[in-house]
Amino acid sequence: MQHVFVYGTLLFPEILEGLTGRTFSVQKAELYNFKRLRVAEGDYPAIIAAEGESVSGMLVLNVDARSMELLRFYEGEDYDCRKLEVKLKKQSVFAHVFTWNNDPGLLTESDWNLKNFEQHFLQDYIRYVVPETVAEFTKLFS
């Protein structure tokens, strides 16, 4: 089992559980020396290295191999899955983190807005993006 640091759409249990079919324990966590930005042509964020910055998120605990593969598929080719140190309240742990690997020019200068996503895009993700992702993953890998 492995841990995953999430900082964007996967912060919503409806998306994480919808993709994996599982409920996970989570803890608040912080990733240092990275910053979160909105993808310019998207409704989701990316993180890039940025000395002195930090990203707040959640540490998803004990993610099984199949769920990890589904999350990699969901994140797509624009993200690398890297093992990085994240800070919890009283300790640091290593976790898988999806970091942007595409052109930084495709990112805005502003942070992704969680509340805006929740108000304007979450229901579409629950209704369309999640089931379509699971169906495509199942078709390709079952």
Side-chain angles (χ1 to χ4, degrees):
M1 299 281 190
Q2 50 219 332
H3 306 315
V4 180
F5 176 78
V6 298
Y7 55 86
T9 62
L10 293 172
L11 289 169
F12 293 92
E14 304 94 314
I15 294 176
L16 181 61
E17 293 170 15
L19 288 167
T20 63
R22 296 205 42 218
T23 301
F24 297 97
S25 295
V26 296
Q27 292 182 18
K28 288 183 182 179
E30 195 83 14
L31 176 66
Y32 290 98
N33 297 314
F34 280 84
K35 68 179 175 179
R36 181 177 69 183
L37 299 169
R38 187 176 61 79
V39 176
E41 299 296 321
D43 44 33
Y44 50 90
I47 59 172
I48 58 172
E51 190 68 33
E53 302 275 344
S54 68
V55 177
S56 296
M58 300 295 280
L59 185 67
V60 182
L61 303 170
N62 301 317
V63 178
D64 59 283
R66 182 179 185 283
S67 295
M68 193 68 215
E69 289 306 313
L70 256 161
L71 296 180
R72 280 191 175 104
F73 186 76
Y74 172 74
E75 293 293 348
E77 294 178 357
D78 289 334
Y79 296 84
D80 288 328
C81 185
R82 300 170 55 191
K83 206 160 198 182
L84 299 171
E85 188 174 10
V86 298
K87 179 81 170 133
L88 302 173
K89 196 174 191 176
K90 296 184 180 186
Q91 66 179 349
S92 293
V93 298
F94 282 90
H96 293 281
V97 181
F98 292 97
T99 62
W100 186 249
N101 69 15
N102 204 328
D103 179 1
L106 298 174
L107 305 175
T108 66
E109 292 295 319
S110 58
D111 191 1
W112 177 76
N113 187 302
L114 182 85
K115 292 287 184 205
N116 183 62
F117 177 84
E118 183 174 27
Q119 291 173 352
H120 299 287
F121 302 105
L122 179 59
Q123 290 309 310
D124 285 341
Y125 269 67
I126 293 167
R127 260 185 256 146
Y128 306 112
V129 176
V130 169
E132 289 170 9
T133 300
V134 172
E136 189 174 344
F137 178 85
T138 302
K139 183 174 139 187
L140 291 171
F141 301 108
S142 291

